[in-house]
Amino acid sequence: MGELEDRRTAVSEARFESLLDTAADGVIVIDETGRMLVFNKICEQLFGYTSQEAIGQNVSLIMPPEFSVSHDRFMNNYHRTGERRIIGIGREVSGMHRDGTVFPLELSVGEAKTAEGRQYIGVLRDLRSRRAVEQRVSQLQAQVVHMTRLSAMDEMGAAMAHELNQPLTALLLYLQAVARQVRACHADAKPPSDKMLDVLDKAVLEAERASHIVQRMRQMVEKRDPERATVDLREVVNEALDLSEFVAQGATVTIRRVFGMTPIQVDADATQIQQIILNLLRNALEVAKESEERWVKVSIGSDDRSAFVSVTDSGPGFSEDVGKSLFRTFSTTKKSGMGLGLAISRAIAQNHGGDLMADPGGNGQGATFTLMLPMHHSDEAEEDTWG
Amino acid sequence: MYIIVEDDPSVADALESLLSGAGLPVRVFASAEEFIHSASPAPDDTMIVDLGLPGMSGGELVRHLEKAGATPKVIAISGKSSRTIARETEGLADVKILRKPPAADWLEAITA
Ligand SMILES: Nc1ncnc2c1ncn2[C@@H]1O[C@H](COP(=O)(O)OP(=O)(O)OP(=O)(O)O)[C@@H](O)[C@H]1O
Ligand SMILES: [Mg+2]
């Protein structure tokens, strides 16, 4: 705090004021009793009071009533015990405009010991616009996630029709067989045989196989809010790989899974994580298909902070040029690609507090995409350490 | 003899149930290769071949039989789009096509 003090005394009063007025953030200085000594231009805009009106008044003027009470208590408590709740930390608080509008602020507080006693310097940033942007982004993201799911479904549509065809064909043929035999028995006035029951049982199994396929597909398309839960990353990835193998049936690319034996717990929305894996896998399969060795390797690992899923393929990797715009939306080198896969995947990863990284490979090496997610930590480790 | 070449075990089994339930003699093969290695069709046989076999496709199998001079009756079954089916059966003499899933009684269609 010595530095602040130095500045406070070195800079002349007038210069200090004009400096404050060019600041991009609101700046308020209060004394030990909570009286405002400085109230800069940005504060005038934020709160609707001129500095003449504000200076000399208690800082509770610009707080919602429920806060102003506890603010006095906090200050008294700090003076008595020296226990810090906010100084040097910064946090999100609520401010109140002259017209009564309450809005979110980021507040950082510094302390200066002056000849006239302790003073506190608060730097305030209006969080409303950022909040609105964040909200918009997460709305958009939810929409786009839904869209990519749908366009992946489009592609899956043909595969799915094919997949449903098999059990439906078997089902109908079993039923045709039974119907014929029942009719024949009827004509001969004989009771139906046990064999017919066997065939009926098989028919039921095929109907179940078909409905299972529909159920799994439905899970992928249904739009819903993100649902975080503590999950084993290995299971989540496994399921995505199963699904994709099922869609790519008969394809000639081998998918290798390199998983450890111990569960890897992360807090995540399983469907969104699967969305990432499916996007990475789709990209990898597309290039692996054209390569000589035709494999994709999916490995999972972790250290004590983070979990990793890496997808490597036997393709040619990507150039520096492609690498520059890899994660940008609508950047694609494919005729039918939308260039959304990686952009969305990274957005989801970051929304989970993780990230998506790319290694370009090259010189006979395929690209590697690595999803990083924070490991789940049980609660005991992190008690609130504010103040 | 009715010869089924189909890789999906359920479809093969259901087809077999339908044919043998009607008292017809049936043999089932899971791939074109398996069939070629263990049997050769007689002219009065009926072959029911899935076009989408893994490995040697159904279309290739039929072409292979034509080249070898074998002329059984051939019925192709497929779940693909009509365009794909047309491409896969291009140049084949006369193949009856049954599409999955069945829209009518397949026993009648096969024995007709
Ligand atoms: N495994 C990979 N190997 C080489 N290049 C890759 C690989 N994965 C992605 N790329 C490159 O990154 C680009 C962007 O990928 P992204 O998944 O974002 O979009 P896309 O696959 O082109 O289209 P979409 O996923 O929306 O259908 C691709 O067009 C491709 O050039
Ligand atoms: Mg992609």
Side-chain angles (χ1 to χ4, degrees):
Chain A
M1 299 303 135
E3 195 195 322
L4 268 176
E5 196 183 309
D6 289 346
R7 257 203 236 150
R8 183 74 176 86
T9 43
V11 178
S12 77
E13 197 84 0
R15 187 146 154 60
F16 180 66
E17 302 273 296
S18 71
L19 198 80
L20 284 180
D21 284 342
T22 60
D25 295 321
V27 178
I28 291 176
V29 178
I30 60 173
D31 67 13
E32 265 173 332
T33 66
R35 213 159 49 97
M36 291 187 274
L37 306 176
V38 170
F39 194 83
N40 77 343
K41 273 248 162 50
I42 299 285
C43 285
E44 294 185 340
Q45 291 161 21
L46 279 178
F47 298 103
Y49 299 97
T50 65
S51 66
Q52 280 107 317
E53 286 173 312
I55 288 172
Q57 298 229 47
N58 192 284
V59 68
S60 61
L61 178 72
I62 54 162
M63 298 176 188
E66 66 270 25
F67 278 84
S68 56
V69 177
S70 43
H71 186 258
D72 279 346
R73 225 185 36 237
F74 277 140
M75 280 188 56
N76 285 331
N77 184 57
Y78 174 59
H79 293 146
R80 243 193 4 260
T81 65
E83 184 199 345
R84 293 181 163 191
R85 295 272 177 138
I86 187 165
I87 294 169
I89 295 160
R91 61 165 56 170
E92 203 179 310
V93 298
S94 296
M96 190 171 78
H97 188 272
R98 182 176 212 155
D99 67 12
T101 309
V102 174
F103 58 96
L105 283 167
E106 188 181 276
L107 169 66
S108 322
V109 179
E111 184 183 12
K113 296 203 174 75
T114 70
E116 299 102 70
R118 282 195 258 209
Q119 296 184 353
Y120 303 97
I121 298 148
V123 179
L124 303 157
R125 182 166 294 172
D126 189 347
L127 287 179
R128 271 172 300 189
S129 55
R130 197 203 295 173
R131 198 57 78 62
V133 169
E134 277 168 8
Q135 250 172 32
R136 181 94 190 98
V137 166
S138 78
Q139 271 170 11
L140 274 176
Q141 197 176 311
Q143 265 174 31
V144 177
V145 166
H146 181 57
M147 265 169 41
T148 34
R149 236 181 253 165
L150 283 183
S151 74
M153 281 303 292
D154 240 21
E155 194 175 286
M156 282 183 196
M160 190 167 123
H162 175 71
E163 204 52 34
L164 281 172
N165 259 336
Q166 307 292 3
L168 283 178
T169 300
L171 172 60
L172 283 163
L173 293 178
Y174 282 134
L175 291 177
Q176 288 178 6
V178 178
R180 277 183 177 276
Q181 285 170 40
V182 170
R183 245 179 262 121
C185 289
H186 212 66
D188 299 349
K190 278 192 296 190
S193 70
D194 285 353
K195 236 176 145 191
M196 287 182 221
L197 280 181
D198 284 351
V199 175
L200 279 177
D201 284 342
K202 288 186 196 167
V204 170
L205 282 182
E206 292 307 311
E208 282 169 359
R209 185 173 146 201
S211 71
H212 186 62
I213 291 169
V214 172
Q215 278 161 17
R216 278 182 78 178
M217 287 299 172
R218 191 186 291 142
Q219 284 171 4
M220 292 302 295
V221 224
E222 267 172 10
K223 185 177 172 176
R224 50 177 190 74
D225 293 332
E227 271 171 28
R228 296 278 167 92
T230 306
V231 290
D232 182 354
L233 192 56
R234 297 174 313 156
E235 278 170 27
V236 173
V237 172
N238 239 335
E239 218 176 272
L241 296 185
D242 285 348
L243 180 73
S244 126
E245 279 190 333
F246 146 84
V247 168
Q249 257 186 12
T252 49
V253 178
T254 313
I255 300 180
R256 292 190 208 141
R257 306 178 193 205
V258 185
F259 295 9
M261 297 298 290
T262 44
I264 296 183
Q265 309 275 25
V266 294
D267 295 315
D269 183 306
T271 309
Q272 291 196 339
I273 299 306
Q274 290 176 338
Q275 202 52 46
I276 299 180
I277 302 301
L278 288 177
N279 278 326
L280 296 181
L281 208 63
R282 224 153 34 102
N283 288 343
L285 288 171
E286 271 166 21
V287 291
K289 215 168 49 191
E290 308 299 329
S291 73
E292 205 159 292
E293 295 178 22
R294 300 194 188 181
W295 54 260
V296 172
K297 186 176 79 181
V298 180
S299 39
I300 301 186
S302 64
D303 55 32
D304 28 310
R305 292 175 153 268
S306 313
F308 304 92
V309 184
S310 291
V311 179
T312 307
D313 57 65
S314 58
F318 55 82
S319 69
E320 210 182 311
D321 249 16
V322 170
K324 274 184 205 139
S325 59
L326 209 57
F327 292 102
R328 220 170 286 150
T329 38
F330 305 118
S331 93
T332 179
T333 58
K334 300 169 192 170
K335 247 185 250 141
S336 63
M338 282 179 79
L340 279 177
L342 290 176
I344 290 308
S345 300
R346 174 172 266 184
I348 297 174
Q350 291 178 345
N351 212 21
H352 278 79
D355 206 351
L356 184 62
M357 284 113 17
D359 176 336
N363 291 325
Q365 296 274 37
T368 299
F369 286 83
T370 300
L371 165 66
M372 193 263 288
L373 291 172
M375 289 287 268
H376 167 75
H377 281 290
S378 38
D379 299 319
E380 342 120 26
E382 270 171 46
E383 264 295 301
D384 191 352
T385 49
W386 293 89
Chain B
M1 176 72 70
Y2 289 81
I3 297 164
I4 299 169
V5 190
E6 162 67 81
D7 63 309
D8 187 290
S10 304
V11 173
D13 184 65
L15 203 46
E16 185 183 8
S17 299
L18 182 66
L19 296 176
S20 60
L24 302 170
V26 184
R27 286 190 71 183
V28 179
F29 299 89
S31 70
E33 289 84 352
E34 194 188 309
F35 168 73
I36 290 172
H37 283 214
S38 54
S40 51
D44 61 342
D45 283 346
T46 299
M47 296 204 45
I48 301 140
V49 180
D50 180 19
L51 284 178
L53 293 171
M56 181 191 247
S57 76
E60 282 164 345
L61 172 61
V62 176
R63 235 164 265 132
H64 170 88
L65 292 175
E66 279 182 358
K67 256 201 226 127
T71 52
K73 181 174 156 198
V74 175
I75 294 167
I77 55 179
S78 173
K80 303 236 177 91
S81 69
S82 45
R83 221 188 315 148
T84 311
I85 293 175
R87 198 178 58 235
E88 285 176 349
T89 55
E90 209 181 297
L92 295 181
D94 83 290
V95 193
K96 180 166 187 172
I97 310 235
L98 292 180
R99 297 185 64 177
K100 298 179 192 175
D105 192 310
W106 270 17
L107 184 66
E108 275 167 22
I110 290 169
T111 54

